[in-house]
Amino acid sequence: MRFKALLLTAMLALCTTAQAQFFWPEDPEQRSDAQTLWTLFDDTYGQGDYEAAKPFLEKIVEKYPTLGTAVYINAIKVWKDTYRNEKDASLKAAAADRIMELYELRYKNFPDEKAKVIDRQAIDAFQYYYLAKPKTQELLDLFSEAYKMKGNNAYYPLGRYYMNIAALAYTRNTGITDEEILKIYDTCTRHIDFQTAKAKSENKSLKRYVSIKEFIDKKLVDLNLIDCEFIVEKLVPEFEQNPDDAELANKIFVYAYEGGCTDAEWFVTAAERVFESDPQYGVGYLLGAKFGAEKNFDKSKDYFMRAAEVTDDNTDKAKAIKQVAVTERIQKNFPEAKKYALQAAEVDPTLKEEMFTLIGDMIMGSLECDAKKSQVDDRARYILAYDYYMRGGNTMKASSASEQFPTMGDIFTANKEEGQSVFVGCWIQQNVKLKKRPDQ
């Protein structure tokens, strides 16, 4: 029986070893002891009895700390289970402390592991200790170290917790400075922007990433650190000296946007630099609107079109193209306005009524197109406007247009017939079938 038990122990240990790398003691007696302890742990752990598994695991950590990383991975899982289920506050706190100790033991015995999981450790530590004011600086240091080791490749939610503890440090008057808060904000923002771009390239849902970005931004806004005076005094002079500094431009853009300083000329300059370095729809659309408000229509159209080019969202794309159509109309470039209105309606059919109405309005208002030689020829454009209104579903404006159709007498006088094709010239350049006024 003893032989069978030893054989079973050895077989179980070997099966486990196949799944994880172990460094068994060379001494036969210690090796047997380590294998037995691991087998006993693995058996109870596998059955979900974490409390029963815990003593075996603790003995392994104590006696054979370099046995393998699996020891610490599983030990942390076991103690996390204790933390989650423990009702007694002191025992819960003890479980949290033990988890942090196990992370440190893992690093001590396997130094390369720190770069792998320090970001997870930081998030765990935040969840255990964020309410404890004396732990605030310790948490800040841990997050700082995590970012130094992993950079933008850190686990994507890391910035949410780092910015949270930074905000708590500020409200707790721990001595953290405005500059340190802003530096942490920049670190967290660059990280989530990087992770968002990565997720997008992998066709993942961006919902959780957007939520984290919004959380980080809100934490900064809530601290009321940024105002226009701060930007003008501390950042704008530096930007004027280094206008090609995309990172500084982005900082100014974000801070000014959050602080409501978007009317300044330096904001537009910074936004242009941001768009050049990293074309994003929101920035391009904002610039289009800004230049449009300043009546710099050529630049406005350019940024709206560039914004449309960098988004895959049809709603956003059509919204930007619509603004180009509207701007072309303002400039009386009616053929171009019509072209972009049709594009916008094609990209986003929900804009169909608005865009076809815009075309109909342009045709209706083009009095300069009347040659004043034939009532039929001059009034044919109202028929065309009617057709566009109807295509867009705007029956009210279509009805108004129909009241301007040529009369039956006009058609007879021009020696034409209803249904006959008539060419509408000027900028419109389109054929239309003759219709008489509905009341005749």
Side-chain angles (χ1 to χ4, degrees):
M1 291 294 292
R2 177 173 173 77
F3 174 75
K4 288 182 179 180
L6 288 173
L7 181 61
L8 177 62
T9 298
M11 288 177 65
L12 288 170
L14 287 171
C15 289
T16 306
T17 305
Q19 298 174 356
Q21 185 177 10
F22 285 89
F23 303 95
W24 302 108
E26 293 185 4
D27 179 81
E29 186 174 339
Q30 290 184 341
R31 181 184 181 90
S32 177
D33 181 46
Q35 288 177 340
T36 300
L37 285 172
W38 181 259
T39 301
L40 291 170
F41 157 73
D42 200 40
D43 185 42
T44 50
Y45 177 83
Q47 294 176 34
D49 192 348
Y50 287 3
E51 280 303 310
K54 194 184 295 181
F56 302 120
L57 201 54
E58 288 296 313
K59 284 185 179 179
I60 295 172
V61 171
E62 179 186 352
K63 297 173 68 175
Y64 309 108
T66 60
L67 185 61
T69 57
V71 171
Y72 299 99
I73 293 171
N74 286 286
I76 289 171
K77 286 181 182 178
V78 166
W79 280 99
K80 280 186 176 182
D81 181 74
T82 300
Y83 179 86
R84 281 192 298 269
N85 297 305
E86 184 56 64
K87 304 301 181 185
D88 183 275
S90 61
L91 293 177
K92 197 176 187 72
D97 290 343
R98 184 55 178 161
I99 292 168
M100 290 299 111
E101 289 172 0
L102 287 165
Y103 272 114
E104 295 304 321
L105 285 170
R106 180 176 179 177
Y107 305 154
K108 177 182 176 181
N109 292 288
F110 300 94
D112 292 342
E113 291 292 295
K114 192 167 190 175
K116 295 180 182 178
V117 297
I118 189 171
D119 46 353
R120 308 278 180 152
Q121 181 193 10
I123 292 173
D124 285 345
F126 175 88
Q127 294 171 338
Y128 302 148
Y129 301 130
Y130 76 96
L131 292 175
K133 183 177 178 180
K135 290 280 189 179
T136 305
Q137 188 58 51
E138 182 180 328
L139 287 172
L140 286 171
D141 292 342
L142 181 57
F143 277 100
S144 176
E145 186 178 10
Y147 268 115
K148 285 177 182 176
M149 296 193 78
K150 304 204 73 167
N152 289 336
N153 291 314
Y155 188 36
Y156 75 89
L158 188 67
R160 178 188 184 96
Y161 298 97
Y162 193 16
M163 192 63 199
N164 203 344
I165 193 61
L168 286 171
Y170 191 82
T171 57
R172 289 169 177 171
N173 297 316
T174 60
I176 191 170
T177 65
D178 292 4
E179 287 74 16
E180 287 172 328
I181 288 283
L182 294 175
K183 185 176 180 181
I184 290 171
Y185 172 80
D186 288 343
T187 297
C188 298
T189 298
R190 284 196 300 272
H191 177 217
I192 194 59
D193 286 347
F194 175 87
Q195 289 294 325
T196 301
K198 181 181 177 183
K200 186 176 182 180
S201 70
E202 296 171 355
N203 295 317
K204 293 181 180 178
S205 170
L206 302 183
K207 185 176 180 180
R208 65 184 69 178
Y209 301 91
V210 171
S211 176
I212 291 171
K213 178 68 176 289
E214 289 175 349
F215 179 89
I216 293 168
D217 288 344
K218 187 175 186 304
K219 281 296 176 184
L220 180 66
V221 172
D222 289 346
L223 293 175
N224 294 316
L225 298 181
I226 305 299
D227 57 23
C228 299
E229 184 179 352
F230 173 89
I231 299 169
V232 170
E233 290 183 359
K234 297 195 174 184
L235 300 180
V236 172
E238 184 180 349
F239 182 56
E240 289 173 344
Q241 294 295 319
N242 303 282
D244 294 328
D245 190 334
E247 186 174 332
L248 179 58
N250 187 68
K251 187 183 296 186
I252 291 172
F253 176 84
V254 172
Y255 291 171
Y257 191 82
E258 297 293 346
C261 313
T262 59
D263 292 332
E265 185 177 344
W266 49 259
F267 171 78
V268 176
T269 304
E272 287 193 277
R273 183 68 189 92
V274 169
F275 189 82
E276 292 300 325
S277 64
D278 182 20
Q280 294 183 36
Y281 175 83
V283 181
Y285 191 93
L286 182 147
L287 284 166
K290 281 285 182 187
F291 285 116
E294 295 171 2
K295 295 186 171 24
N296 189 338
F297 295 127
D298 288 341
K299 268 197 140 179
S300 175
K301 291 183 294 186
D302 180 54
Y303 275 109
F304 278 130
M305 285 308 299
R306 291 166 73 183
E309 291 167 1
V310 298
T311 181
D312 295 325
D313 185 290
N314 283 344
T315 300
D316 285 341
K317 186 185 292 290
K319 182 181 174 184
I321 296 172
K322 180 187 81 170
Q323 293 303 322
V324 176
V326 171
T327 305
E328 294 287 10
R329 183 189 179 186
I330 292 171
Q331 293 183 282
K332 300 187 182 304
N333 297 327
F334 299 134
E336 290 296 293
K338 176 185 173 184
K339 180 181 78 172
Y340 288 114
L342 291 173
Q343 279 186 24
E346 182 179 1
V347 173
D348 181 5
T350 65
L351 292 179
K352 191 173 180 180
E353 179 176 353
E354 185 179 357
M355 293 294 93
F356 279 103
T357 296
L358 181 144
I359 297 171
D361 287 349
M362 288 191 299
I363 295 171
M364 284 283 288
S366 293
L367 298 176
E368 71 278 6
C369 289
D370 294 346
K372 301 186 186 305
K373 294 179 180 179
S374 165
Q375 285 285 344
V376 171
D377 289 339
D378 288 349
R379 290 185 176 274
R381 64 185 173 82
Y382 294 112
I383 302 171
L384 191 59
Y386 169 89
D387 289 345
Y388 276 107
Y389 287 140
M390 289 300 292
R391 287 170 68 186
N394 193 332
T395 55
M396 184 177 294
K397 285 206 168 187
S399 178
S400 295
S402 69
E403 294 173 2
Q404 304 299 320
F405 287 0
T407 66
M408 196 64 220
D410 293 332
I411 296 173
F412 178 78
T413 301
N415 197 27
K416 296 183 185 295
E417 296 179 355
E418 205 176 356
Q420 183 177 340
S421 180
V422 176
F423 181 72
V424 182
C426 197
W427 67 267
I428 303 168
Q429 299 291 304
Q430 196 169 335
N431 288 307
V432 67
K433 290 184 178 181
L434 268 179
K435 292 186 180 75
K436 66 180 179 61
R437 197 173 297 174
D439 60 0
Q440 298 192 355

